[in-house]
């Protein structure tokens, strides 16, 4: 066993003494040691209940003859960090999570790992760590939040963000907003729509790193606790069968995960995280490949914010395994891929049932012939940009309009809420990329303000930053190269004409090539917004969004 380096032999007597100091008995040392990596904290609704999940995992490990050893990671709540300086730290926390897990696991030799993530950066950060460490590993998330209710209708966190814009537009009273905010998020779990957190939990299951049910069983269900026990039991089997992340996270498995991503209409942030996870697994996953998968995969589901269904409806319809089963009807999957269950994708989906064709549509009734996420290119985004096309109104799929240019999210929000943005405008929000932000802030506040004021079918947003998975409308993010890397978005001027063609996959600034080059040559970059601490180091190492915002390898050594 790998853990023998820490507990076997005469030379390890001091090590055993320290284990005895924690109340261990000799029988515990003789068993495989399982790291239980828990994101629990009092900061995040998706993490509040993870102590219960970890207790179940540890019970499962002990039932199967292992000894669990738990430690914790940080986790940023994007909702609480939104629209202030805290959001600079959200994406940047992904690398800290992966690095801290690497430190703990390599400092204390273990035989297997059970990861307990929930929410936006924690899931990809843990998947990156699993790929890097390549020890047998099983994931079990905390599960999704149930949807809330407001005035007889379904509500979620996005409803509250949009409610702010509605109050400013005189469409909702402040008293109604208070009622909404008290009822939109009814309890623990990752926010209830197909936002980034749930997108990543579903992708973990499709990738093969989580057991069936990982993406959709509600956080409050007893079935979630049972799944956690099964994960604890299963890690012992994965060790015995030597099922490592490298054997699960193969190029074909990433293809399966992306195919499901497109069919579900997941968050645009998945296009940021999957390349970074693949990079840790030694696999190149670029925007061209993502574009290929998107073009061939019909969108079969529309969940909030693109549609009215939430994760609980997807769970009732059969969950991720049912979506995969439907995709296999047309041969879109590699069913020979191994999963952490010890079974192949094909063996797992054989047991799945599709219970509701209105939630998981048949191919003949698909929402579109291509996936929920589209990759755009053009002189404004030579290295690519990303849009959640499944959440864009038909009248906004092709649009030419006047650029309204802002060098920060805060400036754009002030203009939106003060009524300075009108129908036909195209907001350009720049210097918000991984380096320029720094940290590539998520912009749910401006998109929600636009929607709340009734302009989401009239106003587009373009940014080198990123958008929340809760965003709907013509919100185009991840523009690469970013402004701080002298990308063309830095050369846009107030009043310029911009042409968006989502079906044609283009994003163009309507100026001549000569004019664009002259502007870029004369460009004077602003000073970094943050010049000390972790974010200053992050900005020096990070690359643009088209790479997954990974660190520059040469600089990181």
């Amino acid at each position: 066993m790998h853990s023998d380096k820490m507990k076997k032999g005469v030379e390890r007597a001091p090590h055993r003494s320290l284990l005895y100091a924690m109340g261990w008995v000799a029988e515990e040392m003789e068993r495989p040691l399982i790291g239980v990596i828990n994101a629990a904290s009092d900061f995040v609704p998706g993490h509040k209940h993870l102590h219960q999940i970890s207790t179940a995992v540890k019970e499962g490990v002990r039932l199967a003859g292992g000894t669990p050893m738990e430690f914790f990671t940080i986790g940023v709540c994007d909702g609480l960090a939104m629209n202030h300086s805290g959001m600079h730290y959200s994406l940047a926390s992904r690398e800290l999570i992966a690095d801290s897990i690497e430190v703990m696991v390599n400092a204390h030799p273990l035989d297997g790992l059970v990861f307990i993530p929930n929410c936006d950066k924690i899931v990809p950060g843990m998947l990156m760590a699993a790929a890097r460490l390549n020890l047998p590993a099983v994931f079990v998330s905390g599960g999704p939040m149930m949807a809330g209710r407001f005035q007889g209708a379904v509500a979620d966190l996005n409803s509250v963000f949009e409610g702010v814009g509605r109050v400013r537009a005189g469409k909702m009273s402040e008293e109604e907003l208070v009622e909404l905010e008290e009822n939109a998020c009814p309890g623990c779990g990752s926010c209830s729509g197909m936002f980034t957190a749930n997108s990543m939990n579903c992708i973990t299951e499709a990738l093969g790193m989580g057991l069936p049910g990982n993406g959709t069983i509600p956080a409050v269900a007893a079935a979630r606790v049972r799944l956690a026990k099964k994960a604890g039991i299963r890690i012992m089997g994965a060790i015995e069968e030597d099922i490592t992340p490298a054997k699960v996270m193969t190029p074909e498995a990433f293809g399966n995960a992306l195919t499901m991503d497109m069919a579900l209409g997941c968050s645009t942030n998945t296009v940021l995280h999957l390349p970074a996870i693949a990079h840790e697994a030694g696999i190149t996953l670029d925007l061209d490949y993502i574009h290929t998968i998107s073009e061939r995969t019909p969108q079969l589901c529309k969940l909030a914010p693109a549609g009215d269904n939430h994760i609980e409806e997807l769970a009732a319809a059969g969950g991720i395994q049912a979506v995969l089963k439907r995709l296999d009807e047309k041969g879109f999957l590699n069913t020979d891929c191994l999963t952490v269950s010890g079974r192949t994708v094909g063996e797992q989906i054989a047991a799945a049932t599709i219970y509701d064709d209105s939630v998981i549509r048949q191919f003949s009734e698909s929402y579109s012939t291509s996936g929920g996420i589209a990759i755009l290119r053009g002189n404004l985004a030579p290295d690519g940009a990303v849009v959640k096309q499944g959440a864009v109104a038909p009248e906004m799929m092709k649009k030419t309009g006047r650029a309204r240019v802002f060098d920060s999210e805060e400036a754009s929000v002030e203009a939106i809420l003060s009524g300075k943005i009108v129908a036909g405008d195209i907001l350009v929000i720049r210097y918000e990329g991984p380096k320029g932000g720094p940290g590539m802030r998520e912009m749910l506040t401006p998109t929600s303000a636009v929607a709340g004021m009734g302009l989401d079918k009239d106003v587009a947003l373009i940014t080198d930053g990123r958008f929340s998975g809760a965003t709907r409308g013509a919100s185009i993010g991840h523009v690469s190269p970013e402004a701080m890397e002298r990308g063309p978005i830095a050369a846009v001027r107030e009043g310029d004409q911009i042409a968006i063609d989502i079906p044609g996959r283009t994003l163009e600034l309507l100026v001549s090539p000569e004019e664009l080059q002259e502007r870029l040559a004369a460009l004077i970059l602003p000073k970094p917004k943050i010049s000390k601490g972790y974010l200053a180091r992050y900005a020096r190492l990070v690359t643009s969004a088209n790479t997954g915002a990974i660190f520059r390898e040469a600089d990181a050594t």
Side-chain angles (χ1 to χ4, degrees):
M1 289 188 291
H2 191 245
S3 61
D4 286 350
K5 294 190 292 184
M6 187 171 65
K7 64 186 185 182
K8 291 287 186 180
V10 174
E11 297 83 358
R12 302 297 182 263
H15 305 64
R16 294 191 294 274
S17 182
L18 291 170
L19 295 174
Y20 282 128
M22 295 190 290
W24 282 33
V25 295
E27 287 81 359
E28 289 175 291
M29 296 184 207
E30 293 168 2
R31 297 178 173 187
L33 302 187
I34 307 302
V36 178
I37 305 162
N38 191 355
S41 77
D42 288 341
F43 285 80
V44 190
H47 297 181
K48 182 69 175 176
H49 64 305
L50 293 187
H51 291 296
Q52 181 186 21
I53 299 298
S54 71
T55 297
V57 167
K58 289 186 284 187
E59 288 173 352
V61 169
R62 292 190 184 279
L63 280 170
T67 299
M69 300 182 73
E70 183 177 16
F71 67 92
F72 298 87
T73 67
I74 62 169
V76 172
C77 177
D78 280 19
L80 294 177
M82 195 77 65
N83 196 27
H84 58 82
S85 60
M87 184 48 73
H88 289 292
Y89 291 87
S90 177
L91 178 61
S93 72
R94 187 186 71 182
E95 270 57 35
L96 277 178
I97 290 165
D99 289 350
S100 65
I101 294 169
E102 176 193 351
V103 167
M104 284 295 290
V105 174
N106 282 338
H108 313 96
L110 299 167
D111 300 300
L113 307 170
V114 179
F115 291 86
I116 308 174
N118 229 16
C119 301
D120 298 33
K121 292 339 135 304
I122 297 87
V123 184
M126 287 189 175
L127 283 167
M128 290 165 68
R132 189 184 302 174
L133 293 163
N134 202 34
L135 287 171
V138 177
F139 278 65
V140 56
S141 77
M145 183 186 293
M146 302 295 286
R149 304 288 299 182
F150 172 67
Q151 295 182 347
V154 175
D156 54 37
L157 181 65
N158 195 38
S159 308
V160 187
F161 275 97
E162 292 186 3
V164 175
R166 295 188 52 152
V167 169
R168 291 298 184 97
K171 299 178 180 181
M172 176 184 282
S173 69
E174 290 190 32
E175 290 76 17
E176 287 178 306
L177 182 61
V178 169
E179 181 186 351
L180 173 60
E181 69 189 57
E182 290 179 350
N183 290 281
C185 299
C188 65
S190 47
C191 296
S192 57
M194 190 52 77
F195 312 143
T196 306
N198 289 321
S199 295
M200 290 307 305
N201 284 334
C202 292
I203 281 174
T204 301
E205 184 177 337
L207 190 58
M209 291 300 294
L211 298 176
N214 179 73
T216 58
I217 295 173
V220 294
R224 176 61 58 176
V225 177
R226 294 196 298 270
L227 184 69
K229 288 182 183 178
K230 291 177 183 177
I233 293 168
R234 180 57 206 155
I235 187 58
M236 302 303 295
I239 293 169
E240 184 177 345
E241 297 158 25
D242 193 31
I243 298 177
T244 61
K247 295 177 181 178
V248 175
M249 289 195 275
T250 61
E252 294 78 13
F254 277 101
N256 285 346
L258 273 169
T259 299
M260 190 219 61
D261 184 338
M262 298 305 166
L264 282 180
C266 290
S267 164
T268 53
N269 284 317
T270 62
V271 178
L272 190 66
H273 297 316
L274 277 169
I277 298 162
H279 176 75
E280 293 289 352
I283 296 167
T284 298
L285 199 164
D286 58 22
L287 292 185
D288 290 334
Y289 179 65
I290 294 170
H291 173 77
T292 299
I293 297 291
S294 176
E295 290 295 284
R296 79 175 193 196
T297 310
Q299 184 172 354
L300 303 178
C301 304
K302 269 202 177 183
L303 297 112
D308 295 329
N309 291 321
H310 289 74
I311 303 298
E312 59 204 71
E313 281 84 21
L314 180 59
I320 296 308
Q321 297 303 308
V323 177
L324 294 174
K325 186 164 190 170
R326 175 129 292 164
L327 287 168
D328 189 48
E329 292 174 4
K330 295 288 187 179
F332 283 114
L333 297 181
N334 186 315
T335 56
D336 292 330
C337 289
L338 181 66
T339 74
V340 294
S341 72
R343 295 175 291 166
T344 65
V345 169
E347 289 168 339
Q348 284 193 163
I349 64 175
T353 302
I354 301 165
Y355 293 106
D356 191 340
D357 287 337
S358 71
V359 177
I360 306 171
R361 287 194 172 187
Q362 298 185 47
F363 285 95
S364 60
E365 302 294 327
S366 65
Y367 290 98
S368 64
T369 57
S370 59
I373 295 173
I375 308 300
L376 311 183
R377 294 185 187 271
N379 69 348
L380 192 52
D383 291 340
V386 181
V387 63
K388 190 172 184 175
Q389 66 174 343
V392 179
E395 53 266 50
M396 292 296 287
M397 296 296 280
K398 294 182 70 172
K399 177 179 177 61
T400 299
R402 175 182 64 154
R404 305 297 307 278
V405 183
F406 303 93
D407 287 346
S408 70
E409 177 190 8
E410 289 85 354
S412 73
V413 171
E414 181 181 355
I416 296 165
L417 294 179
S418 61
K420 295 177 182 177
I421 303 302
V422 299
D425 284 348
I426 297 179
L427 275 69
V428 177
I429 308 172
R430 63 192 181 192
Y431 296 106
E432 290 288 2
K435 181 175 182 176
M440 201 179 183
R441 289 191 290 179
E442 197 171 77
M443 297 187 197
L444 182 54
T445 300
T447 58
S448 298
V450 166
M453 297 186 78
L455 294 171
D456 55 300
K457 295 182 180 179
D458 300 294
V459 171
L461 295 91
I462 299 171
T463 182
D464 56 2
R466 61 193 179 92
F467 291 112
S468 166
T471 294
R472 60 186 174 95
S475 302
I476 300 167
H478 304 201
V479 170
S480 300
E482 63 172 291
M484 206 64 173
E485 294 277 13
R486 294 183 172 273
I489 192 172
V492 181
R493 292 178 179 172
E494 184 81 8
D496 281 347
Q497 291 290 301
I498 293 175
I500 300 168
D501 185 352
I502 295 174
R505 306 296 190 248
T506 60
L507 183 62
E508 297 284 341
L509 176 64
L510 300 183
V511 302
S512 70
E514 295 78 15
E515 170 71 12
L516 182 56
Q517 288 305 312
E518 287 177 10
R519 291 186 188 183
L520 289 171
L523 183 66
I524 299 174
L525 293 175
K527 293 181 179 179
K529 296 174 186 174
I530 297 175
S531 57
K532 63 180 181 179
Y534 173 63
L535 283 178
R537 297 195 300 275
Y538 179 86
R540 289 195 296 269
L541 294 174
V542 75
T543 58
S544 285
N546 63 299
T547 67
I550 60 173
F551 281 172
R552 291 181 174 87
E553 294 290 343
D555 293 340
T557 57

